Each structure stands twice: as structure tokens, then as C-alpha cells.
Amino acid sequence: MSDIQRVAAAIKAAERILVITGAGLSADSGLPTYRGLGGLYNGVTEEGLPIEEALSGPMLRRNPALCWKYLAQLGRACLGARPNAGHEAIAQLQQLKPECWVLTQNIDGYHRQAGSPPERLIEIHGELSPLFCQSCGAESSDLVRHLAGEMPPKCHDCGGILRPPVVLFEEMLPEQAIDSLYAELRKGFDAVISVGTTASFPYIIEPVIRTRHAGGFTVEINPALTDLSPVVDVHLRGKALDVLQGLLSHISGD
Ligand code: APR
């Protein structure tokens, strides 16, 4: 049996499945990843700052124009591209499996656009819209208009500075997302598929380790090796777009 057939058999037999996604899934849409080849974090900004400092909560407070310069770059990249067949394959799996959840680190909103049910989607780093005012809380959903306008974007009602509901560096994770993740983890998963992530955070590594220790099936889809590679049952080396499409065609038998 080939690796892909082994994975397809395990996913077919699984009821509760967690698909963990990172920037590598959206790389096939043309978006930059953060680490590795061509990653956003490899260099420093024009101002000579690490990007993690430019995209941090303290920077948004201290120098909102600088932070928004890089937020706008991310926003334009996401708005300029669209979900790919990898996102669609994951949404298809969620249709086939009513207890298949997605835990994404991506803020591009592509899982929603590709048809993943929002009630089974945990966006652990938030997402790019709707913007909200840091002073009065007013929401503003027209990201395209704000990205084309003055920087930093200002609140129409009170003139305060707007921000997206993303988790910037040195900020806390959204409580509701964390609660939802751990509520589902407590129920356990039969299988976890890690797609396109370096698995740089404990809340990304933990679901894989816990599932393996509980006897579940663990898979990684990534052209490169990561810290998870030695841990998982199968590492499918390849692009998420290709591997996920191949996997779904095995699972749905077409
Ligand atoms: N298909 C699958 N994986 C890919 C592809 C592809 N076409 N191209 C690259 N990759 C892999 C890389 O090998 C790497 O392991 O995607 C991974 C991207 O890793 P990162 O850039 O570190 O992205 P991610 O793991 O999502 O980062 C997590 O870090 O700073 C935070 O908020 C940021 O959400 C991000 C988080």
C-alpha cells in the first residue's frame, strides 16, 4: 500500500479529524510564507526592524503608521489572491466528515471562502477583517477601501485608529478560539493532518502529540521536513495543493 493509500484508508475510517493549516497551504495561492525560502521573516524591514517587531502589538501602539505599513502589505497580498484547490479539498473533507475540524494559523480568510463551515473552523491568529476602532470599538468591514486610503486607517465615528482582529506579535491568542480548540481536544481526535506549517507554536504541536499518544493517526503534508516530521505516522512530501487533491480523490473514491 502506498503512503497516500495508507493515509486515505486511515482518514476514511476516522470520525473525528483535525486539519491544522499554516502559510504553506496559501503558498499555492501565491501568498508568501513566514519562514523558510522567501519567507517574510527572513530579512528585516526597510527600517531595519525584524518583521516580528514591526507587526507587534507594542508597535501598533507606539508607531501605528509603521505597523500599518506592513499590515497593509499582508492585507493587499491576501485580497490579491484567492483560495486554491487545497482549501477546497479540505472543505470537501469537512462535508464528507461532519466531525472534521480546521485549526488554521492563517489570517487570509481562505478557508471560509473555500466553503469550510465557520462553526468547525478555529482561526487561532484571527483574521484581517472587519477592522475595528481601538478607541470606540466601531466596526468597519470595507478593508479594500481602507487599504486604498490614508494610513493608518481612522474611525469614521471618532477618528480613532482602526486595527484588524489579528493576533499581532506579543499579543494574546483569542480566548474563544483557544476555548474551542481545547474543548475539541478534550473529546479527542482519531486523526490529525498538519498541512503547510513549521509547527512553531505549542498549540500547534500539542494536538499532534496528544492524538498520537492516544493512538490516533497523524499525518504531515509539507515539501520540507519540520520538527513534526519525526513524530507523525506518515509525512507526505509535496505541495498541499497536489497532495490534498490526491488524498480527496482516494477518499471519495473517484
Ligand atoms: N505546500 C505545503 N507546505 C508548504 C508549501 C506548499 N506549497 N510551501 C511551503 N510550505 C511549508 C514550508 O516548508 C513551511 O514548513 O509551509 C511552511 C510555512 O511555514 P511558516 O512560514 O513558518 O508558516 P506557519 O507555520 O504558518 O507560521 C505560523 O507564525 O508568525 C506566525 O502568524 C504567523 O501564522 C503564522 C505562524
Side-chain angles (χ1 to χ4, degrees):
M1 185 186 274
S2 70
D3 274 349
I4 193 102
Q5 287 169 324
R6 191 172 153 218
V7 172
I11 299 300
K12 254 181 172 171
E15 296 291 317
R16 287 184 49 79
I17 302 166
L18 178 66
V19 183
I20 301 173
T21 67
L25 175 64
S26 296
D28 291 325
S29 293
L31 295 192
T33 57
Y34 293 92
R35 301 171 183 82
L37 212 57
L40 281 174
Y41 295 170
N42 290 349
V44 289
T45 66
E46 286 157 23
E47 299 79 10
L49 293 170
I51 188 81
E52 294 95 323
E53 190 180 331
L55 282 173
S56 69
M59 185 62 80
L60 180 60
R61 282 191 296 279
R62 190 168 69 240
N63 185 341
L66 176 65
C67 183
W68 257 105
K69 176 179 171 187
Y70 294 99
L71 276 174
Q73 263 183 24
L74 277 180
R76 289 190 194 104
C78 294
L79 290 174
R82 54 183 303 282
N84 61 60
H87 296 94
E88 288 157 8
I90 291 169
Q92 189 190 350
L93 180 61
Q94 288 189 285
Q95 274 169 358
L96 291 171
K97 296 283 180 177
E99 290 204 72
C100 177
W101 283 70
V102 171
L103 167 63
T104 189
Q105 302 165 90
N106 299 340
I107 59 171
D108 51 36
Y110 287 2
H111 283 296
R112 285 169 191 269
Q113 288 177 45
S116 280
E119 66 277 8
R120 285 188 277 138
L121 171 63
I122 300 169
E123 294 171 300
I124 199 79
H125 290 166
E127 62 168 318
L128 276 170
S129 64
L131 302 185
F132 65 92
C133 175
Q134 299 178 93
S135 306
C136 74
E139 277 197 359
S140 172
S141 56
D142 191 352
L143 184 62
V144 175
R145 181 171 57 81
H146 285 299
L147 290 183
E150 62 151 339
M151 283 287 148
K154 299 280 180 28
C155 173
H156 182 67
D157 300 349
C158 78
I161 292 176
L162 302 177
R163 66 162 289 167
V166 290
V167 180
L168 295 172
F169 280 90
E170 300 174 53
E171 290 190 327
M172 302 288 285
L173 293 175
E175 211 171 305
Q176 189 266 330
I178 283 286
D179 291 348
S180 179
L181 173 59
Y182 282 91
E184 293 310 316
L185 272 178
R186 277 191 293 276
K187 297 178 195 167
F189 285 103
D190 306 313
V192 173
I193 308 172
S194 171
V195 185
T197 179
T198 44
S200 311
F201 297 99
Y203 48 88
I204 298 300
I205 296 165
E206 186 181 350
V208 181
I209 304 295
R210 275 172 68 159
T211 300
R212 184 166 174 76
H213 285 169
F217 191 81
T218 54
V219 193
E220 178 179 42
I221 299 173
N222 194 319
L225 290 171
T226 72
D227 293 346
L228 281 182
S229 306
V231 170
V232 295
D233 292 301
V234 179
H235 177 197
L236 296 173
R237 291 196 72 154
K239 293 169 65 168
L241 177 73
D242 303 327
V243 174
L244 284 167
Q245 286 185 96
L247 186 57
L248 264 289
S249 64
H250 277 90
I251 290 170
S252 47
D254 63 4

